[in-house]
Every structure is written in C-alpha cells, then in structure tokens.
C-alpha cells in the first residue's frame, strides 16, 4: 500500500489545464480536511461538494477553495418531487453534482482518496484521454 504524501507544500506547482472547463465533484459525509493534500492540484478548479447523509451536519471546507456545497435539503428544493431519483447513503449523490455542473468536463473523487507519495502528475492520464477521440472501434 502506498502511504499518503505528507509534504504537499513542496509539490511542484501544477499548471491548471482546462481551468474554465472542469468541475470537480466530491460526494462526502465528513469534513474535507483531505483537500489540503490535494490543494496543489484542486485549488485552481471549481468544486461541487454534495453532502451525503444528515443535512443538519456542518461540513467544513478548508479556506481558499472555490466551491458550492449542496445537501439533501438543497436537492429537495431544486428537484422537488423528482428528488428521490438522487440516491443517498451510497455516494450516488455525486450524480446531483454532475447535474448542476455547467462545465464541459467533470472529474470526481471520493473524500477518502489521498495523494500518493510518488511525484506524479495526478491529472496526466485524465488529460491524455480527453485528447483521444472515442469511436465505435475504441473497444475492439
């Protein structure tokens, strides 16, 4: 198992590719302290955080992030009688984040994912595949 990185301050500054075209959706049941280790990667982007579970619980997001935070009450208000189509208690609440995003691309990550101690560009494979054309022959 790879240990989470502890020194994210020395991480190389990542050039924010697709800054105006990408939202990051995070379903969560806990405070988002884990975002501190992702700060070099996620800070330039807009976050859509969807709280799973008890909507009366206060979710704390570290300062400096551009984000929207939604909970079950918000979803009920926005979707009305169709709100039950957004499942809760299984991270499927991220689907609401997909729905409210206005960006061309959406990246999603769970609140229990940690930065590797390897010095890798986390988004490299993601950016690579965005540049590839998918066709009917992709799977053959």
């Amino acid at each position: 198992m790879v240990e989470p990185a502890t020194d994210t301050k020395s991480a190389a500054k990542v050039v924010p590719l697709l800054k105006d075209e990408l939202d990051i959706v995070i379903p969560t049941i806990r405070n988002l302290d884990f975002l501190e280790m992702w700060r070099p990667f996620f800070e330039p982007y807009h976050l859509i955080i969807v709280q799973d579970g008890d909507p009366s619980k206060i979710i704390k997001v570290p300062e400096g992030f551009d984000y929207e935070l939604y909970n079950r009450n918000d979803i009920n208000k926005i979707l009305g009688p169709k709100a039950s189509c957004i499942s809760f208690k299984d991270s499927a609440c991220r689907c609401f984040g997909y729905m409210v995003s206005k960006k061309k691309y959406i990246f999603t990550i769970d609140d229990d994912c940690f930065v590797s101690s390897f010095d890798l560009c986390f988004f490299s494979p993601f950016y690579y595949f965005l540049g590839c054309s998918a066709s009917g022959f992709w799977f053959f």
Side-chain angles (χ1 to χ4, degrees):
M1 183 173 142
V2 176
E3 293 298 318
T6 54
D7 179 19
T8 58
K9 298 207 184 340
S10 66
K13 191 70 171 169
V14 176
V15 176
L17 300 172
L18 303 172
K19 181 183 181 314
D20 297 324
E21 298 181 85
L22 175 72
D23 274 337
I24 299 174
V25 172
I26 306 170
T28 189
I29 58 170
R30 58 185 63 91
N31 289 333
L32 296 175
D33 299 328
F34 89 108
L35 284 175
E36 284 301 336
M37 66 180 68
W38 288 105
R39 186 176 291 278
F41 303 100
F42 290 174
E43 191 171 38
Y45 298 98
H46 177 72
L47 308 179
I48 297 175
I49 301 162
V50 185
Q51 180 180 350
D52 204 353
D54 182 5
S56 66
K57 181 180 179 192
I58 303 295
I59 299 291
K60 294 180 182 162
V61 180
E63 288 189 33
F65 288 97
D66 173 29
Y67 70 93
E68 297 170 66
L69 175 62
Y70 297 96
N71 63 29
R72 180 46 102 182
N73 295 337
D74 300 315
I75 293 169
N76 289 340
K77 190 182 319 176
I78 293 167
L79 295 181
K82 296 182 180 178
S84 63
C85 73
I86 304 294
S87 173
F88 272 72
K89 307 255 188 238
D90 59 4
S91 292
C93 63
R94 76 181 75 229
C95 296
F96 182 78
Y98 302 158
M99 189 189 81
V100 297
S101 174
K102 294 172 182 61
K103 303 287 177 73
K104 184 175 181 180
Y105 302 107
I106 299 171
F107 182 85
T108 188
I109 188 167
D110 286 340
D111 61 4
D112 57 357
C113 292
F114 301 101
V115 175
S116 166
S117 58
F118 294 112
D119 187 22
L120 300 173
C121 180
F122 175 74
F123 280 125
S124 290
F126 178 72
Y127 291 129
Y128 172 78
F129 285 111
L130 282 177
C132 296
S133 294
S135 71
F137 300 108
W138 178 266
F139 300 102
F140 296 106

